[in-house]
Amino acid sequence: MRVLLSFLFIMSICCSVFPWGRSIVRSVFILPALISATQPGALISNGETIQHTQITISSQTGPVYLDIFQPTGHDPLIRSARGGVLIVPGVGDNRQVPQLINLSEALARTGLIVMDMTTPILMNYDISEQDTDATVQAFKKLESLPGMAGRHSGMISFSGGVPLTCFAAADPRIKDKVAYVAAFGGYFDTTTLIETFGRRSITIDGKAEAWHPIDIPIQVLTNITIKNFSYDEQTTLRSGLATNAQPLSAEQLQTLSSGAQAVYHLLKGDEPGQVESNMKALPPDVQQLLAELSPKRVIKDIRAPIFLLHDRNDASLPVTETREFDAALTQLQHKHEYVEFHIFDHVEVRSGLNLGQLIGDGTHLFSTLDNLLYAGS
């Protein structure tokens, strides 16, 4: 009994004092919340009480909306036991999405200060390099919160939020302060992404397989690529690429410029054999914009370790994009991890999973979560 008590005492010290111990404990509590998409009773009863506040800050492009989830108890004796996480959940207004709230609250109950960020651009289903400043300002605001002085903060991004966290992590204002970047279900190169949409297929391990995107990423890419077309062309493209829209007629296509026609065929996926020529037909400003919106552009400037996660059968953004991200980081010898899953519908846990799927992917998710939280410790 004395030996057992001594062992438990030593383990409790290790789990509270050492960063690796704290990350393991946090992972043990957070993983069931992620897998089940609800907070288990053990986390609620043993975790910290939390409060949720909403604030708005300013950036170069306008307001930045922040949801903050933070523990309400006293600061821990070990200062590094507290930490911060900025979450950029992607396009649309995700502030009321249950799985995002669940993740934010679960992280906060383990002692982290969590900040969810969105902007008017993201809420309008668009992505802009201009939102880099909004992400930087959100990160700086997180660092300035009471109790955060001298503590580490990382960034977690989902889907369309991935480029923004990459751009911010490479920004000279905060690049030396970012503890880690976690990119879940994002993309690496906007140009190859558009090409994949045009081909409606991906190549995995040397074998081509059909790939059909859902409507939301088509809407986002439409918003990104048509900004500089005429009003009439924008109207025609939006209607032709809308959900369940009928294909544009030959007469309608003839009213479009060659660049607008190329955008239509690439996003509609109706000319898979002409992707290369359609890419060349894109106006120079669109091609430049695609390059600007690519995380590929900044990875040499990111100093933080990067955690890449993607579901193998993602129908929003193809897994091949994150595989290319992984390959590029490997070539640069940049510290990173890459894990593929089979239990997510893009970035949300699917329902009706069997035990084998949960155990297999849950093990990988626990390892990544542990390493991520350790990097933030």
Side-chain angles (χ1 to χ4, degrees):
M1 181 62 69
R2 291 175 181 173
V3 172
L4 178 60
L5 291 174
S6 298
F7 174 76
L8 293 175
F9 175 76
I10 293 172
M11 287 302 298
S12 65
I13 292 295
C14 290
C15 290
S16 59
V17 173
F18 296 105
W20 59 265
R22 292 195 299 272
S23 65
I24 290 175
V25 171
R26 281 174 171 153
S27 300
V28 167
F29 279 109
I30 295 171
L31 181 64
L34 295 180
I35 295 296
S36 65
T38 58
Q39 293 176 56
L43 177 60
I44 295 176
S45 59
N46 293 289
E48 298 196 38
T49 56
I50 59 175
Q51 65 177 7
H52 173 213
T53 56
Q54 294 179 310
I55 63 173
T56 302
I57 62 174
S58 299
S59 72
Q60 294 175 0
T61 53
V64 186
Y65 305 111
L66 305 175
D67 282 64
I68 303 170
F69 300 81
Q70 61 188 117
T72 58
H74 297 293
D75 282 352
L77 295 177
I78 309 299
R79 288 186 58 80
S80 60
R82 192 73 81 210
V85 181
L86 173 64
I87 299 179
V88 186
V91 298
D93 188 353
N94 298 292
R95 289 175 290 181
Q96 300 302 317
V97 172
Q99 289 203 25
L100 176 61
I101 295 174
N102 175 67
L103 171 63
S104 303
E105 291 184 347
L107 290 169
R109 289 189 189 279
T110 65
L112 300 173
I113 297 177
V114 183
M115 177 181 286
D116 298 344
M117 180 202 105
T118 193
T119 68
I121 293 175
L122 288 170
M123 293 166 67
N124 286 327
Y125 290 86
D126 198 357
I127 303 172
S128 172
E129 191 271 339
Q130 294 178 340
D131 263 349
T132 299
D133 184 65
T135 312
V136 170
Q137 296 304 330
F139 187 87
K140 292 172 69 175
K141 182 63 178 179
L142 174 61
E143 285 198 311
S144 72
L145 293 177
M148 279 298 296
R151 289 164 174 169
H152 299 285
S153 297
M155 295 192 287
I156 299 176
S157 53
F158 299 92
S159 191
V162 169
L164 298 182
T165 54
C166 290
F167 300 156
D171 191 289
R173 291 172 289 178
I174 64 171
K175 65 188 300 182
D176 293 324
K177 300 178 181 180
V178 178
Y180 60 84
V181 175
F184 195 155
Y187 68 88
F188 180 57
D189 185 338
T190 325
T191 299
T192 59
L193 178 65
I194 293 279
E195 292 172 348
T196 301
F197 274 68
R199 292 192 180 95
R200 291 299 197 268
S201 69
I202 58 176
T203 301
I204 298 287
D205 300 326
K207 297 180 179 180
E209 59 182 64
W211 182 79
H212 298 284
I214 62 174
D215 296 325
I216 291 178
I218 294 176
Q219 177 187 353
V220 175
L221 289 173
T222 300
N223 292 335
I224 289 173
T225 54
I226 68 173
K227 292 182 176 70
N228 293 331
F229 291 136
S230 69
Y231 175 80
D232 289 340
E233 286 185 320
Q234 290 187 36
T235 302
T236 300
L237 288 171
R238 289 187 192 279
S239 63
L241 294 169
T243 303
N244 298 323
Q246 292 296 317
L248 295 180
S249 66
E251 292 76 14
Q252 289 175 305
L253 285 171
Q254 287 301 315
T255 66
L256 300 176
S257 63
S258 59
Q261 289 183 38
V263 167
Y264 174 78
H265 292 307
L266 288 166
L267 297 184
K268 194 71 172 179
D270 61 349
E271 292 185 348
Q274 301 181 45
V275 168
E276 185 175 349
S277 60
N278 282 326
M279 290 298 297
K280 290 180 180 179
L282 293 176
D285 59 334
V286 174
Q287 296 187 26
Q288 180 180 353
L289 178 62
L290 297 181
E292 290 177 351
L293 286 177
S294 299
K296 177 182 179 179
R297 174 176 62 85
V298 300
I299 60 170
K300 291 183 179 179
D301 298 319
I302 299 175
R303 296 182 179 175
I306 300 176
F307 297 85
L308 301 172
L309 306 93
H310 212 118
D311 192 83
R312 169 62 175 80
N313 301 306
D314 193 335
S316 290
L317 295 172
V319 68
T320 48
E321 282 295 312
T322 302
R323 287 192 173 196
E324 289 299 318
F325 205 153
D326 170 51
L329 292 175
T330 300
Q331 185 174 11
L332 291 172
Q333 297 183 331
H334 188 107
K335 185 177 181 181
H336 75 288
E337 293 185 18
Y338 173 46
V339 182
E340 282 185 14
F341 299 98
H342 294 81
I343 63 173
F344 291 93
D345 181 3
H346 188 34
V347 295
E348 293 193 17
V349 178
R350 289 187 284 111
S351 59
L353 298 168
N354 61 52
L355 183 60
Q357 291 174 308
L358 292 174
I359 292 176
D361 276 12
T363 301
H364 296 307
L365 186 58
F366 176 85
S367 176
T368 302
L369 186 62
D370 178 37
N371 292 335
L372 181 151
L373 292 173
Y374 177 74
S377 299

